[in-house]
Amino acid sequence: MDTVDGRWRICILLSFLGVTFLVFHARHIHDNPFSFSSPRSIGFSIAPIDNFTFNPTSDPRIITATPSSIIKTKDEQKEPGAKCDIFQGKWVYDSKLSPLYDGARCPFLSDQVTCRRNQRPDSHYERWNWEGSQCNIPRFNGTDMLERLRGKRMIIVGDSLNRNQWESLACLLYSSVPSSDARVSVKSSTHKIFRAKSYNCSVEFYWSPFLVHLETNSINGSKVLVLDRLSDSARRWRGAGVMVFNTGHWWVHRGKLQVWDFLKYKGKLVQNMEMEEAFKRAMKTWASWMDRNVNKNGTKVFFRSISPEHKGEFWCHNVTEPALDGSYHTTFPKSITKIVEKTMHSMKTPVKSLSITRLSEYRRDGHPTVYTTRGGKLLTDEQRKKPEVYADCSHWCLPGVPDTWNRLLYASMVQDSHEDGSSSLYKTT
């Protein structure tokens, strides 16, 4: 009996030591050496946020993420190879790490979107950070982005909302290099270029709201939208290493806002054609050009989804915070979105969707409203008193929402490099 009791005592002691070791080890693993907090956190998901390793740079607003943990799924131990959706998440107020750049130090920002410079009294719209609900998304790293673009051209093609995105990205990159290393050409509203000399790279904007060609009849001045001919700027798209496209808004304009008088397809003028059919033919023209001219192995292609307007019932004027209840409202025709999706899926060229519609829909607070321009001139005090006429609820203040679009573009490029095998995306333990 003494021998049995002794053995039991030894077993109990060993069990106690084992449990103690496991508890200590678990606490050690989950220790968080860096803690971010903000005065208020409003979002649409209650999922806890994991932490990712980072190296601080000289600019505390920009985080250099360690490649092995740059985007990390919450359930990575259960699903080591799982891929997260960076477009699902919530907006969190962050006064310390947002915005990602100082708009006053970005001299080429247009008056249309420099809301603070245009005397907008509040600045909270600059300080909301997008957090993924399924994974951690890295802060924008301008130096790493430039390294990924080294020796390449990046083109951003589309309407004024893509110009909005170009201005944001140009400022993000401009803030990441000495001013002597950057060259910016913004004389034309239809063609803008940012160059970083030491990286031998450029980011170029081409205004093409339909992607296909819009011509003016020299005799009667009528506008003809040619559905089977790409925009004239397409000759400059060739050879780009990264491409970002968008279209949609100009297709749904009606009445005085409709730009074309006639459509043209296979050499014939057409006045009456369903908008969806015209759009489908134009997208087919774009897709065919892409499949013929894009290096499928060396070029990354993105198509940005619709940037939402906030008008009518969900008007943007005098709104200073994002939607708090996670409600999602859109008036843009779903048929256009479906045509884009079907076109992308039918292409030989891989095209990745930059799905910013839903996350931008929450941000009624992010538009210039009356702190903008009309006809190239700042609104007067009298015009600002008539927001129902002059408020801009389509474009976005900078710094602001388009910075998040570019942060997600950067994260998507990181995901692509993981898929190519050039870097580790998910950290396994």
Side-chain angles (χ1 to χ4, degrees), residues 181-326:
D181 191 40
R183 290 289 182 271
V184 184
S185 174
V186 293
K187 294 180 181 179
S188 170
S189 62
T190 60
H191 183 210
K192 297 176 180 288
I193 305 176
F194 166 87
R195 288 190 177 92
K197 294 187 293 182
S198 62
Y199 292 90
N200 187 30
C201 70
S202 64
V203 180
E204 309 163 15
F205 167 74
Y206 296 95
W207 188 76
S208 182
F210 298 104
L211 298 182
V212 292
H213 181 63
L214 180 67
E215 64 184 19
T216 303
N217 187 299
S218 59
I219 298 176
N220 58 22
S222 63
K223 302 283 187 180
V224 180
L225 188 60
V226 187
L227 302 178
D228 51 1
R229 175 184 166 187
L230 272 192
S231 168
D232 285 345
S233 67
R235 66 182 185 275
R236 299 181 182 179
W237 304 352
R238 289 189 177 93
V242 182
M243 300 177 165
V244 182
F245 294 93
N246 95 294
T247 189
H249 282 291
W250 283 56
W251 288 91
V252 300
H253 291 170
R254 289 293 176 265
K256 294 181 179 179
L257 294 177
Q258 180 175 296
V259 175
W260 72 83
D261 299 297
F262 299 95
L263 299 169
K264 189 175 182 180
Y265 186 69
K266 293 185 177 181
K268 296 181 180 180
L269 290 179
V270 182
Q271 190 168 24
N272 297 315
M273 180 186 292
E274 290 293 331
M275 180 270 293
E276 287 83 359
E277 180 61 27
F279 183 70
K280 185 187 300 182
R281 295 183 184 187
M283 287 301 297
K284 184 178 180 179
T285 299
W286 171 79
S288 297
W289 187 96
M290 296 290 289
D291 284 343
R292 291 194 311 269
N293 293 278
V294 171
N295 179 353
K296 301 171 182 59
N297 297 319
T299 303
K300 299 183 186 302
V301 183
F302 298 88
F303 202 99
R304 180 179 60 72
S305 66
I306 291 296
S307 170
E309 297 179 309
H310 289 96
K311 299 178 180 180
E313 182 183 355
F314 304 101
W315 197 28
C316 75
H317 186 58
N318 279 342
V319 178
T320 58
E321 291 184 340
L324 307 181
D325 59 0

Side-chain angles (χ1 to χ4, degrees), residues 61-258:
R61 297 168 300 172
I62 301 177
I63 292 177
T64 305
T66 304
S68 64
S69 60
I70 203 161
I71 299 179
K72 173 180 167 184
T73 61
K74 295 187 178 304
D75 297 323
E76 64 181 9
Q77 289 180 325
K78 298 178 181 179
E79 302 179 58
K83 184 176 178 180
C84 61
D85 184 353
I86 59 177
F87 303 104
Q88 297 294 325
K90 62 181 179 179
W91 290 100
V92 176
Y93 189 83
D94 188 341
S95 62
K96 295 182 179 179
L97 296 177
S98 296
L100 293 173
Y101 57 87
D102 183 351
R105 296 184 181 180
C106 192
F108 52 85
L109 273 180
S110 65
D111 290 336
Q112 183 184 33
V113 297
T114 49
C115 302
R116 291 285 296 281
R117 194 164 69 197
N118 297 341
Q119 301 178 341
R120 177 167 170 167
D122 65 302
S123 62
H124 292 304
Y125 64 89
E126 295 182 350
R127 303 183 184 281
W128 292 89
N129 182 54
W130 180 252
E131 286 189 358
S133 59
Q134 300 173 346
C135 52
N136 287 319
I137 307 168
R139 301 284 289 179
F140 184 88
N141 183 340
T143 303
D144 185 58
M145 180 73 157
L146 287 166
E147 282 293 347
R148 294 173 186 275
L149 295 176
R150 182 180 290 277
K152 299 178 182 179
R153 293 172 53 233
M154 176 178 179
I155 62 169
I156 299 178
V157 184
D159 57 26
S160 58
L161 277 309
N162 254 17
R163 183 168 59 215
N164 214 172
Q165 183 172 0
W166 177 88
E167 289 193 63
S168 163
L169 183 56
C171 283
L172 286 163
L173 297 178
Y174 183 83
S175 302
S176 303
V177 297
S179 57
S180 59
D181 191 40
R183 290 289 182 271
V184 184
S185 174
V186 293
K187 294 180 181 179
S188 170
S189 62
T190 60
H191 183 210
K192 297 176 180 288
I193 305 176
F194 166 87
R195 288 190 177 92
K197 294 187 293 182
S198 62
Y199 292 90
N200 187 30
C201 70
S202 64
V203 180
E204 309 163 15
F205 167 74
Y206 296 95
W207 188 76
S208 182
F210 298 104
L211 298 182
V212 292
H213 181 63
L214 180 67
E215 64 184 19
T216 303
N217 187 299
S218 59
I219 298 176
N220 58 22
S222 63
K223 302 283 187 180
V224 180
L225 188 60
V226 187
L227 302 178
D228 51 1
R229 175 184 166 187
L230 272 192
S231 168
D232 285 345
S233 67
R235 66 182 185 275
R236 299 181 182 179
W237 304 352
R238 289 189 177 93
V242 182
M243 300 177 165
V244 182
F245 294 93
N246 95 294
T247 189
H249 282 291
W250 283 56
W251 288 91
V252 300
H253 291 170
R254 289 293 176 265
K256 294 181 179 179
L257 294 177
Q258 180 175 296

